[in-house]
Amino acid sequence: MNDLLNSLLAVASIPLDPGRRLFWVFILSALVLASVTVSLQQRGFKPGAQLAALFNRRYWFNRSTSVDYSLLTLNTGLRGLLLVPLFGSHLAGTIGVGSWLQSTFGDAPALALSPLTIAVAYTITFFIAEDLSRFGLHFAMHRNPLLWRIHRTHHSATTLTPITVHRVHPVEMGLYYLRGLLVFSVVSGSFVYLFRGQVSGLDILGVDLLGFLFNALGANLRHSPIFLSFGPLERLFISPAQHQLHHSSAAEHRDINFGTCLALWDRLAGSWRPGRREGALEFGLSATEHPSAIVDVDKAIGHPGPIPERV
Ligand SMILES: [Zn+2]
Ligand SMILES: [Zn+2]
């Protein structure tokens, strides 16, 4: 009972954490971007219609979203109760990698760089390592049959809302947690080792300016019905529209746009597609996919019963 309460408290604190995509500032910026996008697409600002669409009960509460909410609570609880105590914090990982480098290679060569140069180098290195490792794991999730069985829980969503980012199998959540811990520890630990004396660990920890910008620029619309394309910039950055194609159940959209932010990795892998669509998109698993993933998850979390399908 206490664990459930702690999980619910942890879920409630997510909108207050600038490190999470559901931080209230990012929700607000997504709402503004959504309104601008819809107004441009419909050639007119219709606040009444937009508010009605936003507060549509059937959009937020249906069979698909109930799985999202349940997994959000379950995964948040597991993260706090299991993963952090078991694998340690990001700070412990950073200190561990820094100490290992020090004891293995001795003192780092003296590199006289300004604190600003170090901060910029760290920000860019961390951003690229984070984005590439996310792409690699996501790519593997689709290509490896065993990992796909886990990842299809995310793809079984038939309604996309910003909460869907948390609709992942607990094993997938654990794999992404370990990936994040590894990337952060290696990049931060290396910088602390290389620039010891010039920049303390605490100075660079938490500098994820590019990640912050990515979240502020509509990352929450990736899981939404707002088809926001970046136009020609999609050759550089993955847009919400491109991620929605990734969630499309149509056979021609299978295994495309694995990227989170940079389009480079998809272009190198040949999986890049521009965010264009001919008709309405249907989200969910393709017709050839066995729908057992949806049933399994519903059973596992004790689905409450018939809830209207998405609108
Ligand atoms: Zn996927
Ligand atoms: Zn997704």
Side-chain angles (χ1 to χ4, degrees):
M1 191 63 195
N2 255 355
D3 290 348
L4 180 65
L5 199 66
N6 284 337
S7 297
L8 291 174
L9 282 174
V11 169
S13 68
I14 289 177
L16 304 174
D17 182 354
R20 309 298 291 270
R21 191 180 287 177
L22 294 176
F23 181 44
W24 69 272
V25 174
F26 304 148
I27 297 280
L28 206 63
S29 66
L31 282 172
V32 173
L33 267 173
S35 175
V36 172
T37 307
V38 170
S39 299
L40 287 173
Q41 286 172 351
Q42 297 180 347
R43 295 197 171 84
F45 177 51
K46 298 167 190 150
Q50 286 188 8
L51 282 173
L54 177 63
F55 292 108
N56 183 342
R57 194 179 61 84
R58 284 164 62 90
Y59 169 67
W60 293 105
F61 300 102
N62 57 58
R63 185 178 165 82
S64 179
T65 58
S66 69
V67 177
D68 298 13
Y69 299 133
S70 305
L71 282 173
L72 165 69
T73 312
L74 178 70
N75 284 336
T76 305
L78 284 176
R79 191 182 143 111
L81 289 170
L82 208 69
L83 293 178
V84 176
L86 210 61
F87 297 106
S89 68
H90 286 40
L91 183 60
T94 301
I95 294 167
V97 169
S99 307
W100 180 81
L101 287 170
Q102 176 73 33
S103 62
T104 309
F105 301 107
D107 283 340
L111 297 168
L113 298 176
S114 73
L116 181 65
T117 310
I118 297 169
V120 171
Y122 172 81
T123 304
I124 293 172
T125 307
F126 178 68
F127 174 73
I128 291 174
E130 179 78 4
D131 203 60
L132 176 58
S133 62
R134 277 182 184 277
F135 174 86
L137 185 50
H138 193 183
F139 189 86
M141 286 274 172
H142 279 254
R143 294 301 167 94
N144 179 292
L146 202 67
L147 290 177
W148 170 247
R149 283 191 67 81
I150 295 163
H151 183 55
R152 67 182 181 181
T153 297
H154 182 62
H155 281 270
S156 64
T158 50
T159 301
L160 297 186
T161 80
I163 310 292
T164 310
V165 72
H166 291 283
R167 182 202 181 101
V168 290
H169 193 288
V171 173
E172 177 169 348
M173 190 268 298
L175 289 174
Y176 270 91
Y177 180 85
L178 289 179
R179 177 213 59 82
L181 186 63
L182 188 72
V183 166
F184 190 93
S185 302
V186 168
V187 175
S188 301
S190 303
F191 270 71
V192 168
Y193 167 69
L194 284 173
F195 303 106
R196 192 185 296 269
Q198 297 172 66
V199 176
S200 79
L202 286 174
D203 280 335
I204 59 168
L205 286 179
V207 178
D208 185 15
L209 186 66
L210 297 174
F212 190 90
L213 271 177
F214 167 72
N215 279 330
L217 292 172
N220 277 306
L221 297 183
R222 291 160 66 87
H223 297 112
S224 83
I226 310 295
F227 200 74
L228 170 61
S229 160
F230 291 163
L233 286 179
E234 286 184 339
R235 299 188 74 79
L236 298 175
F237 304 109
I238 298 292
S239 69
Q242 285 177 291
H243 192 68
Q244 286 159 25
L245 288 186
H246 178 75
H247 274 274
S248 162
S249 60
E252 67 265 31
H253 295 143
R254 200 177 170 142
D255 290 348
I256 58 166
N257 298 338
F258 298 109
T260 302
C261 188
L262 296 175
L264 175 66
W265 324 122
D266 274 304
R267 290 178 64 190
L268 289 174
S271 51
W272 181 87
R273 295 288 184 287
R276 286 191 219 110
R277 63 174 177 188
E278 268 74 55
L281 280 183
E282 286 287 328
F283 300 126
L285 295 166
S286 67
T288 54
E289 279 289 337
H290 195 275
S292 61
I294 307 170
V295 177
D296 287 348
V297 170
D298 288 355
K299 265 189 200 154
I301 59 176
H303 194 278
I307 294 175
E309 211 18 290
R310 78 186 180 95
V311 281

